[in-house]
Structures are given as structure tokens and as C-alpha cells.
Amino acid sequence: MQDRPLIVINPNSSTQVTQGISAALDPLRGLGVPIRCETLAEGPPGIESQAQADLVIAPLLDLAMSLSGEAGGFVIACFGDPGLHALRDRLAQPVLGIQECAVMTALTMGQRFGVISILRPSIPRHMRAFGAMGVTARCAGDRALNLGVGQLAEPALTLARMIEVGTELRDSDGADVLILGCAGMAGYRADLEQRLGLPVIDPCQAAVSMAVGRMALYWTRKETE
Amino acid sequence: MQDRPLIVINPNSSTQVTQGISAALDPLRGLGVPIRCETLAEGPPGIESQAQADLVIAPLLDLAMSLSGEAGGFVIACFGDPGLHALRDRLAQPVLGIQECAVMTALTMGQRFGVISILRPSIPRHMRAFGAMGVTARCAGDRALNLGVGQLAEPALTLARMIEVGTELRDSDGADVLILGCAGMAGYRADLEQRLGLPVIDPCQAAVSMAVGRMALYWTRKETE
Amino acid sequence: MQDRPLIVINPNSSTQVTQGISAALDPLRGLGVPIRCETLAEGPPGIESQAQADLVIAPLLDLAMSLSGEAGGFVIACFGDPGLHALRDRLAQPVLGIQECAVMTALTMGQRFGVISILRPSIPRHMRAFGAMGVTARCAGDRALNLGVGQLAEPALTLARMIEVGTELRDSDGADVLILGCAGMAGYRADLEQRLGLPVIDPCQAAVSMAVGRMALYWTRKETE
Amino acid sequence: MQDRPLIVINPNSSTQVTQGISAALDPLRGLGVPIRCETLAEGPPGIESQAQADLVIAPLLDLAMSLSGEAGGFVIACFGDPGLHALRDRLAQPVLGIQECAVMTALTMGQRFGVISILRPSIPRHMRAFGAMGVTARCAGDRALNLGVGQLAEPALTLARMIEVGTELRDSDGADVLILGCAGMAGYRADLEQRLGLPVIDPCQAAVSMAVGRMALYWTRKETE
Amino acid sequence: MQDRPLIVINPNSSTQVTQGISAALDPLRGLGVPIRCETLAEGPPGIESQAQADLVIAPLLDLAMSLSGEAGGFVIACFGDPGLHALRDRLAQPVLGIQECAVMTALTMGQRFGVISILRPSIPRHMRAFGAMGVTARCAGDRALNLGVGQLAEPALTLARMIEVGTELRDSDGADVLILGCAGMAGYRADLEQRLGLPVIDPCQAAVSMAVGRMALYWTRKETE
Amino acid sequence: MQDRPLIVINPNSSTQVTQGISAALDPLRGLGVPIRCETLAEGPPGIESQAQADLVIAPLLDLAMSLSGEAGGFVIACFGDPGLHALRDRLAQPVLGIQECAVMTALTMGQRFGVISILRPSIPRHMRAFGAMGVTARCAGDRALNLGVGQLAEPALTLARMIEVGTELRDSDGADVLILGCAGMAGYRADLEQRLGLPVIDPCQAAVSMAVGRMALYWTRKETE
């Protein structure tokens, strides 16, 4: 059963985002578990609101269920983990969300995590999620880049703003580890780490990193049954 | 604008449940705000899982948006508040969820609330919600009736089991106020209160009770703008 | 029994404050429940310290008990809720406090609330109250205007300072809903909302709004007994 | 200034209770600080409700202020700490409450404390206080003896019930340190410790124990000013 | 650099325990990262007290530092994570503790975790650790087998007691995922899962499972520097 | 037995620090309990990292155990409380840590405490400790002086920086009581209190202040056995 892939589903319809996620996972491809990235064609171009997150659940569950026979595990690659618990309840395979895994990973790399979000309205949504996870006391802060689509297309401008926001999280809020609050920012991770002197977590890498070992344990468990 | 009704949407397809909700709201019909109960035809007969709760959001938002021109406010009448934040973000009118309102009401009637759930698998879902609300420390416990559909159809049996579970919440867990963790149990409220000596909250009544005043304030605010 | 009024007691002796409270409640007078505002003649001109809050409890309970035969419910209209639990324990009618209700209302309108207080020494008192309510994790911050009586008498100056403090709560502390931490500031609510783009809660409005529905439910319950 | 006594005020009117408190403090009389116990004549015979606790604040503050010129510090000897913050705000001397000090002491003697209360209705009041202290997560449980005055007059019966309740706190709730939730139970402490194998804290001893050193530090601070 | 092993250090001196740990990790050996288990010869035969946990830190750090040149990462294999933060601060490689990883893994498999401990005195130590992790609100309970060394040597008896304790954690405390609170109980995991119907986490498996992906990411990060 | 001293162990090897601690305790020497300060010769010159804190535990326990026959109680005088729980478990006498006692004392002097640390890397360590104590919600902030050894040798410069940091804790973070996060800063306490208008706690004074009364109670308890 070990040849079944981990399927990472990008719930927005942007294949460019999916390609970015896939590239970020390259370092994890040597671990003996095939990693396959899928785009949810029915998703919106981007997921910025609670409604968008909620509405992708139906097609996301459909896609995941249709792939479940060939999948060794799933990662839902949207910072907001839409459909995570619904899918986890339905499947025997490991199902992980990038937000949950980013937080769990952060908790083993620093004492208080800061989140770099794209837009301010996402922050209350994140806070509800951290509350549901019971880890609010370890969140130093969540601050938004507040950049539009055009600005996000300029890497130098985006990095400069990420450094600015990361510096506030570190110096004003007391964060000692940072989480990129979006599926598509992995390319900035190394630069941010170097500039801020803090570990920076890409949530897709965190989730796949946690999924691979769990799939190996899962295969064993099934074999003994 | 005050003649616009408060629309209470039952997101499951059972008109019997909707009728029960409507009957439970009778005491609140004298407050000068029309109360209208709608059934979500596209919903499942009952909502018992996270997936069911997530999947009603799409048709629920559609129904609510189609009614928004004539509504003074909305109540989502499923203990789980599916779509609550998505709808609240989209509309100017007050949007309330029965779970959130039941908890807020309980916090003003006792120090630690207990929840009477129908089935055990709902409890982790409730706990995630209470965590997102930041009120975990005030939840004394959440215990399930664990009765099947057939058993729930027998009122005497159901009441007996509710008294049993409520007694555990009161005596083992330290609850001093109880919440009925389901939209359709209002008929048992008075008996439970009398037998247990604790206030018992029906979540639909709690939500409508909070919505009415908010609608009155909202009208004013709009008028001054 | 439905013709019994909701009695709102202002525990300070300022009839001007009582009149301001009464005016703030006008939008709620159409809900079919008579609203009557009383001034506690034995109270101090204003309640600024823990000692003042504690010492009004004795005359406040006397006044409330003397009115209890004619009251359908009570609201204690001081941000600090003096005597709330004592009165609630003693009476069968609904008894609500404006601080508790402002917080419960805020929890349904945003994820983290900010409080605008008059004077800095009130803040530890508020924090004790939020701790007792178990909602500390959802308080983004509490900041004081630090204006004297003379300055508070100048509306333009007061509003300017409220906007300044509200902006800090929103931008530095991450509040997405604001609470006016005093019984007499309702007149600034609409302007603040417009200027800050956040919902702003007047605690007296919040409490009366919650009381009205509860009184309706209460009457019913009593009738079935 | 070191000859000014620590004044311990029993806010109920029972001189028998005051004598019991005084006897419990004998081991602390050798520390060079005079300890004087006063009875609040205007208090009720016992303090069992929130209203009783609130209503003693007025005469308690009067008594304390009248004694403040001759006092080196104060302890308020009612498990509920009525008037604690009001008096602390008003005086330069150390002012401690037996509930607060019992909890702080417990936190240095075990990981989760259990409280033995006299009557069940006190428990929500205690929980509000622990919430205000921010220590709810370290409270294993609070259980009541539920004994009437007559039963409390029989030491053997009372001890047997205390052992029963303490055993539940230890074995069902996971407490590893116990607090006597009342000013007058010190006489049972040694027996309970021996029978349960856990440290047991008498709140009056805890408060006076913390006050003595603080008074010594306070004298120094004043002398340098 | 990918051929550097993950070194798992058992900080007690029992090679039998080390062998058990190693066997539990077999399912994870196919992931392309060599896994090497070391015994701390200077450790005690078992670690049951806070003092024992503290005192292994010195030789544990010595051993780890001496191996650091050849290690790709470390896991500290004692439920208590002695020396975790000290070693993490000192090394560039990933350093994980089995307690921390068991908890983080549990938080992605259920809403409230229960811990099966060997002996009761370990529980306060665990609670301090969960508090430091900020996850107390998600711990349903921690209960001890209270079996002596002789009894633990009898598998059938041990399993029976684990089922008994696990049942209490599930039914009385509300746990929906269990953690084995000791490095050497992996052999019981499958049976417990089957009997209790809940996921059961072996902490060594959880830590190695999380370490493997992190090492892969770490290599990449270093290569870009 | 009352002539047995309280032994305060400075776990770093600096006799100058020990002398400073001893001087800070002078106001407490009149309480009838001999206070003796010991230097841990095997300790490092200063304790700045988690590893240093962990590694002093072995010699610290040795020293304390060797002195236990003549000691009435112990205080561990390093802000980090190395070995606290290990020693407490082993001895019948009171064992207190200066960090734990500083926090418990702060909780009775203000609602939210701020910590003035020497160096930034200590802050995550402090946060873990406050989490283990369950008091995170009452910590307003922890800010570092970030001064080197040379700068710390200049009192005027150090005081100026302490005022700066203390002002931030008070005005930006909302602290109303401050803790000196180091064993050797007592000399600045009076000046800081005067300049900031907040109570300032020296942790060694706090711990000895709490130990003295506890020792008196302890003697009594032993005598009754």
C-alpha cells in the first residue's frame, strides 16, 4: 500500500498556486512517499473570505472522495483548513490541514508564533481557528500585509512588506517563530528567515512533513488488523 | 423598515422540526417583530456530522441571500451554526446562530454550562465551537443522550434520559445552567427545569430573544445614516 | 404579567446620566415592553472606583427589592455590574448587567473586543470582570480616554479622543468590535462606528436588548408552572 | 513602625469564629508582628450568599478605615474576599484576602487545587473569583460538604464528610493540594492532611503567612522614602 | 547531507527499553532517513521523578553534543522531554521531544486527549508540561495505571489495566484520542485502539514521524544558505 | 526546631550576586527566622540559558541535600527556579522558587504583571514557566533590557534603561505591577517604584517573604504529628 500517493489539494482554481505549492514540496519528495498536487477546478481563483472557504467544501469533499481509493493520505492546502474535519471523519487515511499543521509545527519551534496574513479580514477567521485549536495563548499576533493582487505580483515589494510585518510581530508582539498565513508564499521563506533571524514556517511544507510519517505508521496499523 | 420579519432558517429539510421551532418561538411573537420560520428544502433530514453541517452552507447562503431583501434579520437554527460567519460577513442585517446565542445566554444565567447533546460524535464539534468562542473554561461538560431516532420519538423515554444526563452534568460536572444541544428539544425545557432545579436554555429561543432587540437597534442605526 | 416594566437602575445619583440612558433606549421602546429608568438617589455622582461600585450595592439592592413587585425585570446600568449576582440570586425575574451584556453582545459581533474606558484605574477592575466571565482571550485591549470631567463636557473633544483610542484598539490591539465602557456614552456610538468602520456597542442598549426577549420567555415559563 | 499590628477582620459577627481564626494563627505569632483579630459586629452571623458578602463591604471598609492609623496591614478573613480591592486601593498598607492568598499558596504546593466548600451555592461564586484571578486551569474542582449548621457543630461528622469530599477531589478530580473554603475550619487541617496524604491549606493561615513578610518589606520601603 | 541519521536517545539506561523503542520505529524506517537508537548509559534504569528527569540532562546533553557532528536530528525519548529546550537552543539540527510531539500529533487526531501514565506522581509533572505548551484546555485527563515493575512485566495484566484506564479517559473524561505516557508501551497500541475505538498515540512514533520530514526540509534550507 | 535557618541558594558562582541578594533580604531579618545565603560554587558565573539553568540542578540538589539536616526551608534564588520541583518532592521542609513567588506576589498586587528581563532569549523560557503556572492570561508582557555585562555595571545607565522598559510595560502592555526578572536587581526597586508609580517586586524578597510564614506553620504541623 506504500505506493499510494499523498494527495495535496489546492482548493482554489489557480494552477499557478498549485505549481508553487508543488515546488515548495520538492525537498520532501525524497522521503519515499509520492506527492501529488491537485487543483480544485470548481474553487474560486483565491480564497479570501469565510464564505469562499465554506463554499469550497462541497466540491473539495467530492474531489477527495473520488480520489480516496488511490490516495494514501490527503492535505488540504488552504490556510483555513476548509472541510478538514468533515473529510477526516469520512476517511480512514490521514487527513491534514495546512493551518493546523503549521501551528503544531510552530509550537515545537518557538514559544509564541506570529502569523503573516495577506489581508486584514482574514484575521478574525484565523483567531477562531486558533481558539478551536485551544492555542490562543501561544499566538503572539497576526498581522496583514494588506497588499492587493497587483502588489503581490511584485516579489521585491512583497518581500519588503513581509519583512516589515515580520519585524512588528517579532519586536512589538514577541513572536519567536513565524507562520506564513497563505498557501502560496513558500518562496519567501528562506529570505525572511535570514532577514529576521527567526524560523519561518510554510504551512504546506509543515503539513506534508507531518503527513509522510503518519502515512507510514498508518500502513503498518492497517497491516496488523 | 420595522415590519421586515426575522427569518429563522432550519437548515434541515424536516418541516416537522421547523414546526417545533416555530412553536417554541410563540412566546416571543408579542414583541412587535414578525418571526418567520423557513425550512431548507435542500438540507438533509437531520444534521448529525461535520460534513452535513458544512454541506448545508451552500444552499443555506443561497436561500438567505434570496430572502435578504425582505428580511430584517436572520437566525440559523442548527446547533453548530453552519454558515454563520459567512452570512454575517455578507449582510448588513443582524445574523445570529443558535449555538452562539445559547452559550452567550447561558453565560448570563449560570457560571458553568452543561450541554445535552443527542449523539456522542457531535461533542468534539461542539468543543471546537466553544474554543473558537473562547469560553471553554466555562463549559462544565457536554454529554450525549445517545438515543436513536426511534427512541427520540418516544417523549417519556427521551425525557427520562435527558433528566439522567442533566443530573450527571449538574452533579458530576458542576453545571449550574443547561443548554439543549439541538434545535428541536424545546418541548422538554419546562419539565427539565422543574426536575433539575436549573435554568435550561433552548437555543432557538435564546437566539430569537437576542435578535429581536438587535433588530430594533439596527433599524435606528440605519435611519440615522 | 406582560405589562410589568423592565426597570433600568442607574446606580449613580446623576439624573442627567439617567436621562441619557433613557434616550439611548428609545429605539427599544417599540418592542412591547415598558422601559422605566430609575436613578439611585443614594449613589455617588459617578462611579469611578471599586469602593464606589461596592458601596452602591446596599442601596441598590434596597431599591430593587422595593420595586420587585412591580418589575418584570431589571438592568443594572453601571459598567462594573455592581450587585448583579446578589440581585440575580434573590429574584425570579431576569436581572442583567450592562457590562456582562455588552461583552456577550460583542462576542457575537466580532472576534476580539476593545473597550474604551474613561479613566485608567478602571481597567484592572474590568480585567477582573472579564476574567470572571472567562472571556479574557477575546479581549483585544482596554484603553482609557483619561479625560477629566471638564473635558468630558465638551463633545467634540471627547469624540476626537474616542476616535484616537478606538483607532489604537483597532490597529495596535486588533479589536474588530468596540465596547463603550461607561453607561453614558451612547450619543457617540453612531459617529464612532462611522469613523472607525467597526461595530460599537453601547452597554445599556445591549443589556435592554437582551432583557426584552428574556422577559417574554420568562412570562411563558411562569405561566406553564 | 514595626510594632503596628496586622489586623485580621472577621466580617461576620460571630466572636466564636473570630476566636477560632485567632487560635489558628498562633503558630504565626512568633514572627515578631503583632496579630490582632477583630469581629465585624455589623456583619451577619455567617456569610453564605453573594448578597451577604457584598453587604458587609460598607461596614467592613468603615471598620478598616477607622483602624488604619494603628494597623500595619489588614487581612480580610472571609473566603470570598469581600471589599479586598476596594480596601487595597484606599490604603498604603498591605491588604490581603484569605481566598486570594489560599490560592496563591496552593499554587506553590501542588499543581491542581481542590476546594472544600460548606454549601453548594458558594461554588459559582468561587469560580467567578478563580476566573478573576486567572487561575481556573489550575482548579481541579470545588465540592461542597452540604452540611447544615447542626451537623457542622459535630466535629466527628464534619471530619468524616470532609474526608469523603477530599477523597473525591483527589481521586476523581485530580487535586494534589486542598484548600479549606471557609475561614473556620483550621482545626480539621492536620487530620485531613494525615488522612488524605495531601497538603491542606487553611486560608487564614495562608493570608497571615503572606502578610507578615510583606509588612516587613513595606516598612523598609516607607523608611527609604 | 541526507545520509546523516536521526538519533533517538533513550535517557534511561535500559537497553531493553531502547530495543522496544527501536522496534516501534520499524514502520518509519522506509522513509529514507536512517534511524539510530542510543541508550544513555549514565541514566537511571527508569525515569519516574522530576529529579531523575532533571538529572539526566547533563549526561544527555554531553552524549548529544558528542554525536552532533554525525546526526541529522535528535529525538529525546522520555515522556517529560528532559533537556529538550536546552539541546534545541544549542544545535542547528531539528531536536524533538516525544511528549511535545505526542501532544501535537494528538491535537490533529482528536479534540481532547487523554494520557495513560504509569504512576500517579508523574501527573503533576505532565500538567506542568501541558501548561507550558499552552494546551491545557485540550487535555481531557491524565490517569495512572499505578502498576509496579512486577505487574508491568505481565503483558496481559498491563493491557487489561490500560483498557480500564483508557475507558475512564474516554467515558468519564471525554477523551477522543489517547496518548501513551511512556516511551515503552508501543506494543500495546494496536490492541488498545481496537478495544477502545479511539486513536492511540505512541510518543516515540509521533516524534520520529514529525522529525523525518523536518530533517528533509532542514537539509534544503541549509543548502540554500 | 525554630532556630533552623531558611537557606537561600544562589545557583550561580558569583559571591557578589549572593551578597546583593543577602542585602536585599535585610528588611526580612527581623522576623525571627535566621536567613542564610549560600553560593553554588559549581554554578556558572551567571545563568542566561536554558542549558545553564538545567545543568545547575545536579550540584544544586547535592548542595541542598547536604544542608537539609540543618535547614528549616530553602529558597532557590535564580529567576527560572531550576530544580524547584525536584527539591520540593524530596524534602519535607518548605522549598520555594523566586520566580514562582514573584508571580504569586504580583498576582496580589496588580491585575497584570510585567517582567523586566536582562536579555531577550530568556523570555520564551519565562513564558514556558508562566504557562506551567497557568497564569499566562495575567502576564501583560515581558521585555528585555538587552544590556551587556559592561553596561549592567553602570547603575545610572541600567536604571535609565529599566525605566524605559518599565514604561513600555506600563503604557503599551497595560502592566500595573512589575517583576524584576533576575535575582540581582533589588537595588533598583525603590527608584523604579517611585519613577513609574507602580509596585515593583524583587523576586528574592518575594520568596523569602513567603517562606518565613510557611516555615512557622510547618514547625507547628510537625509538632502535632
Side-chain angles (χ1 to χ4, degrees):
Chain A
M1 204 198 283
Q2 300 208 30
D3 48 352
R4 291 198 187 173
L6 173 64
I7 299 184
V8 178
I9 303 180
N10 168 24
N12 72 41
S13 61
S14 162
T15 55
Q16 194 181 345
V17 167
T18 312
Q19 285 161 16
I21 292 170
S22 185
L25 301 177
D26 280 344
L28 293 159
R29 288 187 200 275
L31 292 173
V33 173
I35 297 169
R36 199 170 115 195
C37 296
E38 296 281 345
T39 305
L40 185 69
E42 296 88 344
I47 295 178
E48 293 178 0
S49 69
Q50 183 70 55
Q52 286 175 317
D54 290 345
L55 293 176
V56 299
I57 298 179
L60 176 63
L61 291 184
D62 283 346
L63 176 60
M65 294 310 289
S66 75
L67 296 170
S68 66
E70 54 191 294
F74 286 98
V75 163
I76 298 173
C78 167
F79 201 78
D81 295 346
L84 173 63
H85 293 286
L87 190 59
R88 192 176 278 162
D89 288 350
R90 286 191 169 183
L91 292 180
Q93 297 102 315
V95 178
L96 291 168
I98 67 168
Q99 185 180 52
E100 194 176 70
C101 288
V103 170
M104 297 308 141
T105 299
L107 298 189
T108 68
M109 297 183 79
Q111 187 60 18
R112 286 186 295 172
F113 64 90
V115 180
I116 299 178
S117 295
I118 305 290
L119 295 171
R120 187 190 195 118
S122 303
I123 297 176
R125 214 169 357 126
H126 297 170
M127 290 297 158
R128 288 196 292 270
F130 303 153
M133 293 181 205
V135 300
T136 305
R138 291 189 66 183
C139 177
D142 189 324
R143 290 176 182 263
L145 300 178
N146 287 323
L147 297 180
V149 172
Q151 293 166 305
L152 285 170
E154 297 181 44
L157 188 154
T158 301
L159 178 61
R161 181 68 185 130
M162 290 176 88
I163 290 169
E164 194 174 32
V165 166
T167 302
E168 289 173 337
L169 288 165
R170 186 190 65 192
D171 295 345
S172 299
D173 298 336
D176 55 359
V177 57
L178 298 182
I179 293 174
L180 301 174
C182 180
M185 292 154 125
Y188 298 101
R189 200 190 75 159
D191 284 334
L192 261 183
E193 287 199 333
Q194 194 174 12
R195 291 293 293 275
L196 296 173
L198 295 184
V200 176
I201 292 168
D202 172 70
C204 294
Q205 291 180 335
V208 173
S209 174
M210 287 182 70
V212 165
R214 194 164 308 184
M215 287 168 71
L217 288 170
Y218 170 79
W219 296 324
T220 304
R221 182 167 55 187
K222 289 293 151 184
E223 284 163 8
T224 44
E225 280 175 10
Chain B
M1 204 200 283
Q2 298 208 31
D3 48 352
R4 290 199 186 173
L6 173 65
I7 299 184
V8 178
I9 303 181
N10 167 24
N12 73 40
S13 60
S14 162
T15 54
Q16 194 181 346
V17 167
T18 310
Q19 285 160 15
I21 292 171
S22 185
L25 300 177
D26 279 343
L28 294 159
R29 289 186 198 276
L31 293 173
V33 174
I35 298 170
R36 199 170 115 195
C37 296
E38 297 280 345
T39 306
L40 185 69
E42 297 87 345
I47 295 179
E48 294 179 358
S49 69
Q50 183 70 55
Q52 286 175 317
D54 290 345
L55 293 176
V56 299
I57 298 179
L60 175 62
L61 291 184
D62 283 347
L63 176 60
M65 294 310 289
S66 76
L67 295 170
S68 65
E70 54 192 295
F74 286 97
V75 163
I76 299 173
C78 167
F79 201 77
D81 294 346
L84 173 63
H85 293 286
L87 190 59
R88 191 177 279 162
D89 289 349
R90 286 191 169 183
L91 291 181
Q93 295 102 316
V95 178
L96 291 168
I98 67 168
Q99 186 180 52
E100 195 175 69
C101 289
V103 170
M104 297 309 140
T105 299
L107 298 189
T108 66
M109 296 183 79
Q111 187 60 18
R112 287 186 295 173
F113 63 90
V115 181
I116 299 178
S117 296
I118 304 288
L119 295 171
R120 187 189 194 119
S122 303
I123 296 176
R125 215 170 355 129
H126 297 168
M127 290 296 157
R128 289 196 293 270
F130 303 152
M133 293 182 205
V135 300
T136 306
R138 291 189 66 184
C139 177
D142 189 325
R143 292 176 182 264
L145 300 177
N146 288 323
L147 296 181
V149 172
Q151 294 167 303
L152 286 170
E154 297 181 43
L157 189 155
T158 300
L159 178 61
R161 180 69 185 130
M162 291 176 87
I163 290 168
E164 194 175 29
V165 166
T167 302
E168 289 173 336
L169 288 166
R170 185 191 64 192
D171 295 345
S172 300
D173 299 335
D176 54 0
V177 57
L178 299 181
I179 293 173
L180 301 175
C182 180
M185 293 153 126
Y188 298 101
R189 201 189 75 159
D191 284 334
L192 261 182
E193 288 198 332
Q194 193 174 12
R195 292 293 293 274
L196 296 172
L198 296 183
V200 176
I201 292 167
D202 172 70
C204 294
Q205 291 180 334
V208 172
S209 173
M210 287 181 71
V212 166
R214 194 164 307 184
M215 288 168 72
L217 288 170
Y218 170 79
W219 297 324
T220 303
R221 181 167 57 189
K222 288 294 149 183
E223 284 162 7
T224 45
E225 279 176 7
Chain C
M1 203 200 282
Q2 299 208 31
D3 48 352
R4 291 198 187 174
L6 173 64
I7 299 184
V8 179
I9 302 181
N10 167 23
N12 72 40
S13 60
S14 162
T15 54
Q16 193 181 347
V17 167
T18 310
Q19 285 161 15
I21 292 172
S22 186
L25 300 177
D26 280 343
L28 294 159
R29 289 186 199 276
L31 293 173
V33 173
I35 298 169
R36 199 170 115 196
C37 296
E38 296 281 345
T39 305
L40 185 70
E42 297 87 345
I47 295 179
E48 294 178 359
S49 69
Q50 183 70 57
Q52 286 174 317
D54 290 345
L55 294 176
V56 299
I57 298 179
L60 176 63
L61 292 184
D62 284 348
L63 176 60
M65 294 310 288
S66 75
L67 296 170
S68 65
E70 55 192 294
F74 286 98
V75 163
I76 299 173
C78 166
F79 201 77
D81 295 346
L84 174 63
H85 293 285
L87 190 60
R88 192 176 278 162
D89 289 349
R90 285 191 168 184
L91 291 180
Q93 296 103 314
V95 178
L96 291 167
I98 67 168
Q99 185 180 52
E100 194 176 68
C101 288
V103 170
M104 297 308 141
T105 299
L107 297 190
T108 67
M109 296 184 79
Q111 187 59 19
R112 288 186 293 173
F113 63 89
V115 181
I116 300 178
S117 295
I118 305 288
L119 295 170
R120 187 189 194 119
S122 302
I123 297 176
R125 217 171 351 130
H126 297 169
M127 290 295 157
R128 289 195 292 271
F130 302 152
M133 292 182 206
V135 299
T136 306
R138 291 190 66 183
C139 178
D142 190 324
R143 291 176 182 264
L145 300 178
N146 288 323
L147 297 180
V149 172
Q151 294 166 304
L152 285 170
E154 297 181 43
L157 188 154
T158 300
L159 177 62
R161 181 69 185 130
M162 290 177 88
I163 289 169
E164 193 174 32
V165 166
T167 302
E168 290 174 337
L169 288 165
R170 185 191 65 191
D171 295 346
S172 299
D173 299 335
D176 55 358
V177 57
L178 299 181
I179 293 173
L180 302 174
C182 180
M185 293 155 126
Y188 298 101
R189 201 190 74 159
D191 285 334
L192 262 182
E193 287 198 335
Q194 194 174 12
R195 291 293 293 275
L196 296 172
L198 296 183
V200 176
I201 293 167
D202 171 70
C204 294
Q205 291 180 335
V208 172
S209 173
M210 287 181 71
V212 165
R214 194 165 307 185
M215 288 168 71
L217 287 170
Y218 171 79
W219 297 323
T220 302
R221 182 167 57 189
K222 288 295 150 183
E223 284 162 8
T224 44
E225 278 175 7
Chain D
M1 204 200 282
Q2 300 208 29
D3 48 352
R4 291 199 186 172
L6 174 64
I7 299 185
V8 178
I9 303 181
N10 167 24
N12 72 42
S13 60
S14 161
T15 55
Q16 194 181 345
V17 168
T18 310
Q19 285 161 15
I21 291 171
S22 186
L25 301 177
D26 280 343
L28 294 159
R29 289 187 199 275
L31 292 174
V33 173
I35 298 169
R36 199 170 115 195
C37 296
E38 296 281 345
T39 305
L40 185 69
E42 296 88 345
I47 296 179
E48 294 178 359
S49 69
Q50 183 71 55
Q52 287 175 317
D54 290 345
L55 293 176
V56 298
I57 298 179
L60 176 63
L61 291 184
D62 283 347
L63 176 60
M65 295 309 289
S66 76
L67 295 171
S68 65
E70 55 191 294
F74 286 97
V75 164
I76 298 172
C78 167
F79 201 78
D81 295 346
L84 174 64
H85 293 285
L87 190 59
R88 192 176 278 163
D89 289 349
R90 286 192 169 181
L91 292 180
Q93 296 102 316
V95 178
L96 291 168
I98 67 168
Q99 186 180 51
E100 194 176 68
C101 288
V103 170
M104 297 308 141
T105 299
L107 297 190
T108 67
M109 297 183 79
Q111 187 60 18
R112 286 187 295 173
F113 64 90
V115 180
I116 300 177
S117 296
I118 304 289
L119 295 171
R120 186 190 195 119
S122 303
I123 297 176
R125 217 172 351 130
H126 297 169
M127 290 296 156
R128 288 196 293 270
F130 302 153
M133 293 181 204
V135 300
T136 306
R138 291 189 67 184
C139 177
D142 189 324
R143 290 177 182 263
L145 300 178
N146 287 323
L147 296 181
V149 172
Q151 292 166 304
L152 286 170
E154 297 181 42
L157 188 154
T158 300
L159 178 61
R161 181 71 185 129
M162 290 176 87
I163 290 168
E164 193 174 32
V165 165
T167 301
E168 289 173 336
L169 288 166
R170 186 191 64 191
D171 295 346
S172 300
D173 298 335
D176 54 359
V177 56
L178 298 182
I179 293 173
L180 302 174
C182 180
M185 293 155 125
Y188 298 101
R189 200 190 76 158
D191 284 334
L192 261 183
E193 287 198 334
Q194 194 173 12
R195 292 293 293 274
L196 296 172
L198 295 183
V200 176
I201 292 168
D202 171 69
C204 294
Q205 290 180 334
V208 173
S209 173
M210 287 181 70
V212 165
R214 194 164 308 185
M215 287 168 71
L217 288 170
Y218 170 80
W219 296 324
T220 303
R221 182 167 56 188
K222 288 294 150 184
E223 283 164 9
T224 44
E225 280 175 8
Chain E
M1 203 199 282
Q2 300 207 29
D3 48 351
R4 291 198 186 173
L6 173 64
I7 299 184
V8 179
I9 303 180
N10 168 23
N12 72 42
S13 61
S14 162
T15 54
Q16 194 180 345
V17 167
T18 311
Q19 285 161 14
I21 292 171
S22 185
L25 301 177
D26 280 344
L28 294 159
R29 289 187 199 276
L31 293 173
V33 173
I35 298 169
R36 199 171 115 195
C37 295
E38 297 280 346
T39 305
L40 184 70
E42 297 87 346
I47 296 179
E48 293 177 359
S49 69
Q50 183 70 55
Q52 286 175 317
D54 289 345
L55 293 176
V56 299
I57 298 178
L60 175 64
L61 291 184
D62 284 348
L63 176 60
M65 294 310 288
S66 76
L67 295 171
S68 65
E70 55 191 295
F74 285 98
V75 164
I76 298 174
C78 166
F79 201 78
D81 295 345
L84 173 64
H85 293 285
L87 190 60
R88 192 176 278 163
D89 289 349
R90 286 191 169 184
L91 291 180
Q93 295 103 314
V95 178
L96 291 168
I98 66 168
Q99 185 180 52
E100 194 175 69
C101 288
V103 170
M104 297 308 142
T105 299
L107 298 190
T108 66
M109 297 183 79
Q111 187 60 18
R112 286 187 295 172
F113 63 90
V115 181
I116 300 178
S117 296
I118 304 291
L119 296 170
R120 186 187 195 120
S122 303
I123 296 175
R125 218 173 347 130
H126 297 169
M127 289 295 157
R128 288 196 293 270
F130 302 151
M133 293 181 204
V135 300
T136 305
R138 290 189 66 184
C139 178
D142 189 325
R143 292 176 181 263
L145 300 178
N146 288 324
L147 296 180
V149 173
Q151 293 166 304
L152 285 171
E154 296 181 45
L157 187 154
T158 301
L159 178 61
R161 180 70 185 128
M162 291 175 89
I163 290 169
E164 193 174 31
V165 166
T167 302
E168 290 173 336
L169 289 165
R170 186 191 63 191
D171 295 346
S172 299
D173 299 335
D176 54 359
V177 57
L178 299 181
I179 293 173
L180 302 174
C182 180
M185 293 154 126
Y188 298 102
R189 201 191 72 158
D191 283 335
L192 261 182
E193 287 198 334
Q194 195 174 12
R195 292 293 293 275
L196 296 172
L198 296 184
V200 177
I201 293 168
D202 172 70
C204 294
Q205 292 180 333
V208 172
S209 174
M210 286 181 71
V212 165
R214 195 165 307 185
M215 288 168 71
L217 288 171
Y218 171 79
W219 296 324
T220 303
R221 183 166 57 189
K222 289 294 148 184
E223 285 163 7
T224 44
E225 278 175 9
Chain F
M1 205 201 281
Q2 300 208 30
D3 48 352
R4 292 197 186 173
L6 173 64
I7 299 184
V8 178
I9 303 181
N10 168 24
N12 73 40
S13 61
S14 162
T15 54
Q16 194 180 345
V17 168
T18 311
Q19 285 161 16
I21 292 171
S22 185
L25 301 177
D26 279 344
L28 294 159
R29 289 187 199 278
L31 293 173
V33 173
I35 297 170
R36 200 170 114 194
C37 296
E38 296 280 345
T39 305
L40 184 70
E42 296 87 346
I47 295 179
E48 293 178 359
S49 69
Q50 183 71 56
Q52 285 174 319
D54 289 345
L55 293 176
V56 300
I57 298 179
L60 176 63
L61 291 184
D62 284 347
L63 176 60
M65 295 309 289
S66 77
L67 295 171
S68 65
E70 56 192 292
F74 286 98
V75 163
I76 299 174
C78 167
F79 201 77
D81 295 347
L84 173 63
H85 293 285
L87 190 60
R88 192 177 277 163
D89 289 349
R90 285 192 169 183
L91 292 180
Q93 295 104 314
V95 178
L96 291 168
I98 66 168
Q99 186 181 51
E100 194 175 69
C101 288
V103 170
M104 296 308 140
T105 299
L107 298 190
T108 66
M109 297 183 79
Q111 187 60 19
R112 286 186 294 171
F113 63 90
V115 180
I116 300 178
S117 295
I118 305 290
L119 295 171
R120 187 189 194 118
S122 303
I123 296 176
R125 215 170 354 128
H126 297 168
M127 290 296 157
R128 288 196 293 270
F130 302 152
M133 292 181 205
V135 299
T136 305
R138 291 190 66 183
C139 177
D142 189 325
R143 292 175 181 264
L145 300 178
N146 288 322
L147 297 180
V149 172
Q151 293 167 304
L152 285 170
E154 296 181 44
L157 187 154
T158 300
L159 178 61
R161 180 68 184 130
M162 291 176 88
I163 290 169
E164 193 174 33
V165 166
T167 302
E168 290 173 336
L169 288 165
R170 185 191 64 191
D171 294 346
S172 299
D173 299 335
D176 54 358
V177 57
L178 299 181
I179 293 174
L180 302 174
C182 180
M185 293 155 125
Y188 298 100
R189 199 190 75 159
D191 285 334
L192 262 182
E193 287 198 334
Q194 195 173 12
R195 291 293 293 274
L196 296 172
L198 296 184
V200 176
I201 293 168
D202 172 70
C204 294
Q205 291 179 335
V208 172
S209 173
M210 286 180 71
V212 165
R214 195 165 307 185
M215 288 168 71
L217 288 170
Y218 171 79
W219 296 323
T220 303
R221 182 168 56 189
K222 288 296 149 183
E223 284 164 8
T224 43
E225 279 174 10

